Amino acid sequence: MTKQQHLDWDDFKLVKIIAEAGGLGGAAERLGVNHSTVFRRLGQMEENLGVKLFERHRTGYVLTPAGEEMSALAEQMDENVTAFTRKLAGQAVAPTGELRVTTNDTLLVHLLTPIFARFITACPEMRLDVVLANQALNLSKRDADVAIRATDDPPETLVGRRVATIAWAIYGRTADFPDVQGPEDVNLADLFDRHWVALGDNLAALKAARFVRDHVAPDNIVYKVNTVLGLAESVQAGAGIGPLPCFIADAKPELVRLSEVKPDFSAGLWLLTHPDLRQSARVRAFLDFTAAEIAKQKKWIEGAGKRAPSPAPVA
């Protein structure tokens, strides 16, 4: 008797979910159905096809070659649907709707929040959904529409522009250096025996973190924190001296710059999006507005000037 081999898209999705979950229980939870429902649907599918899609092991369900093909096709379907929705988003003709932007806490708190506030005032039909994440979200999967990142190596799958270079220098608390007016009053080598603050192990690859590790004895690194935002607060509180982005530290009168700008610490400030979205009206409007606002603060971000005053609120 010839087996019926008709398949629906949901069948492919089911195989993919079972494979990702490693069994029926996890798949049922993800789908919001009973375990017995998933068991019955899989059994009917295998009976209709006349092949096994999974090997049942004590440790879980493992795809057979036929199951692997179905799972791969399901992944391809997901990617095609996602690509289609990106293209539709890119065809929007007016800057309206919601835009999801991902960045990190440091950039949001010390640079971007006023810019975002001015953007939604300038574009009242727009809404921003800001997602804080130090790791890169998957813009190909629409986890975000725009990423604002401090990096020298943006993902090749994204397009965008480098709008500034984030400068860093060594800073200490003004109260601890009453006779220091600037870097010219300091011999950096004399500072290595003091207490230092440093970035945590999760940020050990950053050039500023490597500098402290290479020049300061471990016993003198008295405070580590896994975010640049916390690093600035620790120096301001007097825990020790340390490397900070100039656009954060120069805005704090409680801090004094103890070194010249360290080019080896710098990183590019990038505005990034997916190629399918770069012609979207809302993405283009946001990128153009943000780039123009950051350009006003470029000297400050690059450690060579004061922060530009914010414009008066729109009446």
Side-chain angles (χ1 to χ4, degrees):
M1 180 178 177
T2 303
K3 298 290 184 180
Q4 179 185 357
Q5 295 189 348
H6 172 74
L7 290 170
D8 294 324
W9 283 19
D10 285 345
D11 295 330
F12 288 87
K13 181 180 178 181
L14 177 64
V15 171
K16 179 174 177 286
I17 290 174
I18 294 173
E20 290 173 346
L24 303 187
E29 184 176 348
R30 285 183 56 181
L31 292 168
V33 299
N34 294 328
H35 180 283
S36 58
T37 300
V38 179
F39 178 80
R40 185 173 61 254
R41 284 181 58 189
L42 177 60
Q44 290 172 345
M45 199 187 317
E46 291 182 325
E47 183 180 353
N48 290 339
L49 292 172
V51 295
K52 289 291 184 184
L53 299 173
F54 290 91
E55 297 288 351
R56 280 72 164 172
H57 298 297
R58 295 178 65 181
T59 56
Y61 277 47
V62 178
L63 288 166
T64 64
E68 288 178 353
E69 288 192 39
M70 285 193 68
S71 182
L73 283 171
E75 180 66 27
Q76 184 177 334
M77 290 176 189
D78 280 348
E79 292 175 357
N80 289 342
V81 170
T82 302
F84 178 69
T85 58
R86 283 199 311 265
K87 288 179 181 177
L88 287 182
Q91 293 170 7
V93 295
T96 63
E98 184 173 275
L99 189 77
R100 177 170 286 190
V101 182
T102 180
T103 189
N104 63 41
D105 52 3
T106 304
L107 290 174
L108 181 71
V109 170
H110 289 284
L111 176 64
L112 297 175
T113 297
I115 294 175
F116 291 172
R118 291 195 290 273
F119 174 75
I120 58 176
T121 299
C123 298
E125 298 300 317
M126 290 286 300
R127 303 182 307 279
L128 293 183
D129 180 3
V130 180
V131 181
L132 289 182
N134 285 311
Q135 72 278 13
L137 296 186
N138 191 337
L139 269 64
S140 296
K141 292 287 189 181
R142 296 298 303 279
D143 291 340
D145 301 305
V146 172
I148 303 178
R149 286 280 177 252
T151 180
D152 286 325
D153 188 25
E156 294 182 357
T157 55
L158 304 180
V159 296
R161 63 189 96 171
R162 181 174 178 146
V163 290
T165 298
I166 299 175
W168 288 61
I170 307 299
Y171 288 84
R173 193 168 59 166
T174 304
D176 297 332
F177 296 90
D179 298 325
V180 173
Q181 300 299 313
E184 65 278 1
D185 298 328
V186 180
N187 181 355
L188 185 58
D190 294 338
L191 300 178
F192 294 139
D193 289 333
R194 286 179 171 264
H195 284 174
W196 282 68
V197 300
L199 292 166
D201 294 341
N202 66 312
L203 297 174
L206 290 184
K207 289 172 279 190
R210 291 202 302 268
F211 175 87
V212 177
R213 192 168 60 246
D214 292 343
H215 290 84
V216 181
D219 288 347
N220 288 335
I221 303 174
V222 297
Y223 188 99
K224 292 200 296 186
V225 62
N226 68 347
T227 168
V228 175
L229 189 65
L231 191 69
E233 296 301 312
S234 67
V235 175
Q236 186 175 353
I241 62 178
L244 295 174
C246 297
F247 77 88
I248 298 177
D250 286 346
K252 296 178 179 290
E254 303 91 345
L255 299 181
V256 61
R257 196 186 292 189
L258 303 176
S259 77
E260 300 293 345
V261 168
K262 306 288 284 185
D264 290 346
F265 297 1
S266 66
L269 180 59
W270 286 83
L271 306 181
L272 300 164
T273 189
H274 191 277
D276 290 345
L277 294 178
R278 60 183 164 183
Q279 296 306 319
S280 161
R282 67 178 188 272
V283 170
R284 191 169 61 249
F286 177 81
L287 292 178
D288 289 346
F289 183 94
T290 303
E293 290 293 309
I294 290 175
K296 299 173 185 176
Q297 307 289 355
K298 188 174 181 180
K299 287 186 177 180
W300 169 59
I301 295 169
E302 297 185 345
K306 296 183 178 180
R307 183 170 190 167
S310 297
V314 178

